[in-house]
């Protein structure tokens, strides 16, 4: 089935809305961004924006879904690499995740928890599942190839890594320290 020009244009417009909204949300946080601001930045009317996304919450949810898909694709690409050893994969993963947190204002994470607790829980469950599966496989691979210690229980390593990620996602826990989330992640890994 051939996609019409109108359908292509609608998809491109929706993608543009998502990209611009992501920049705004990640810089200012959910509660500080108004739909009018998004529309203005895109050079469109609020009516047109609402035709694509009936609510700010729906737009935010779609932005988070898109972000999760893109993060998953990048993580999968790192996990699949066969040209590097497990330790190098871990360093690449750490660098990627650190950069991800560096681009996010801590207000976004706080807003996600406060304004969209169900969505926040969904993101946290997804993160935990990725840790239990992909990261655990990486640890096993590293242990089998003698890159990681065999005497440390895999569950302990996963627990520590998971708590580091969780701490970074709770900006209030880092509030008293002179570090941003990406610096904490780099320093602990």
């Amino acid at each position: 089935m051939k996609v019409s020009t109108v359908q292509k244009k609608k998809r491109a417009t929706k993608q543009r809305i998502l990209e611009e909204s992501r920049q705004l949300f990640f810089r200012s946080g959910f509660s500080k961004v108004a739909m009018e601001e998004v529309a203005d930045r895109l050079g469109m009317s609020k009516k047109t924006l609402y035709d694509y996304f009936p609510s700010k919450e729906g737009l935010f949810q779609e932005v988070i879904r898109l972000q999760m898909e893109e993060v998953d694709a990048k993580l999968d690409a790192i996990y699949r690499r066969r040209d590097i050893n497990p330790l190098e994969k871990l360093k690449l993963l750490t660098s990627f995740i650190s950069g991800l947190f560096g681009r996010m204002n801590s207000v976004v994470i706080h807003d996600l928890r406060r304004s969209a607790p169900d969505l926040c829980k969904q993101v946290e469950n997804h993160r935990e599942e990725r840790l239990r599966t992909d990261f655990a496989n990486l640890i096993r691979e590293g242990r089998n190839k003698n890159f990681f210690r065999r005497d440390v229980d895999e569950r302990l390593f996963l627990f520590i890594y998971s708590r580091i990620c969780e701490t970074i996602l709770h900006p209030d826990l880092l509030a008293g320290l002179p570090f941003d989330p990406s610096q904490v992640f780099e320093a602990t890994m």
Side-chain angles (χ1 to χ4, degrees), residues 46 124 136 153 172:
K46 279 197 320 185
E124 287 178 354
D153 189 298
D172 48 313

Side-chain angles (χ1 to χ4, degrees), residues 132-179:
R132 274 192 305 276
T133 57
D134 301 329
F135 197 72
N137 290 337
L138 178 62
I139 298 307
R140 275 186 227 107
E141 177 188 354
R143 290 170 77 166
N144 291 338
K145 294 180 178 179
N146 295 318
F147 284 96
F148 304 135
R149 291 175 46 182
R150 290 177 181 263
D151 62 327
V152 176
D153 189 298
E154 174 185 304
R155 294 169 299 182
L156 178 61
F157 189 79
L158 290 172
F159 175 78
I160 292 169
Y161 188 79
S162 177
R163 297 302 71 98
I164 290 168
C165 291
E166 190 177 306
T167 300
I168 290 169
L169 291 173
H170 287 273
D172 48 313
L173 296 176
L174 299 176
L177 299 173
F179 306 109

Side-chain angles (χ1 to χ4, degrees), residues 8-127:
K8 285 180 185 177
K9 186 177 178 187
K10 283 186 176 190
R11 281 189 200 149
T13 300
K14 183 176 182 178
Q15 191 63 33
R16 210 168 57 99
I17 292 168
L18 289 170
E19 291 298 330
E20 190 64 40
S21 298
R22 175 171 34 193
Q23 288 177 19
L24 288 168
F25 287 138
F26 282 16
R27 185 180 55 241
S28 303
F30 173 77
S31 61
K32 300 248 195 277
V33 175
M35 291 294 268
E36 184 173 356
E37 180 181 4
V38 175
D40 287 346
R41 290 282 300 261
L42 290 161
M44 66 175 55
S45 69
K46 279 197 320 185
K47 181 191 178 314
T48 301
L49 179 58
Y50 279 109
D51 286 343
Y52 284 89
F53 296 96
S55 69
K56 182 172 128 176
E57 292 76 15
L59 175 58
F60 187 58
Q61 191 168 23
E62 191 67 16
V63 164
I64 296 299
R65 185 200 58 75
L66 176 67
Q67 181 70 18
M68 287 172 47
E69 283 179 4
E70 290 178 6
V71 167
D72 281 350
K74 289 176 183 170
L75 291 175
D76 290 342
I78 294 170
Y79 285 123
R80 282 193 309 266
R81 288 191 59 179
R82 298 290 174 229
D83 61 319
I84 59 176
N85 67 51
L87 188 57
E88 290 168 325
K89 286 181 187 180
L90 182 61
K91 288 178 182 176
L92 275 177
L93 290 167
T94 301
S95 177
F96 170 69
I97 293 170
S98 170
L100 184 65
F101 290 120
R103 289 190 305 272
M104 255 187 241
N105 183 327
S106 62
V107 172
V108 174
I109 298 166
H110 179 70
D111 267 359
L112 184 60
R113 290 192 186 297
R114 187 176 45 99
S115 303
D118 291 341
L119 183 57
C120 182
K121 187 69 174 159
Q122 194 178 3
V123 169
E124 287 178 354
N125 289 341
H126 182 75
R127 177 184 52 83

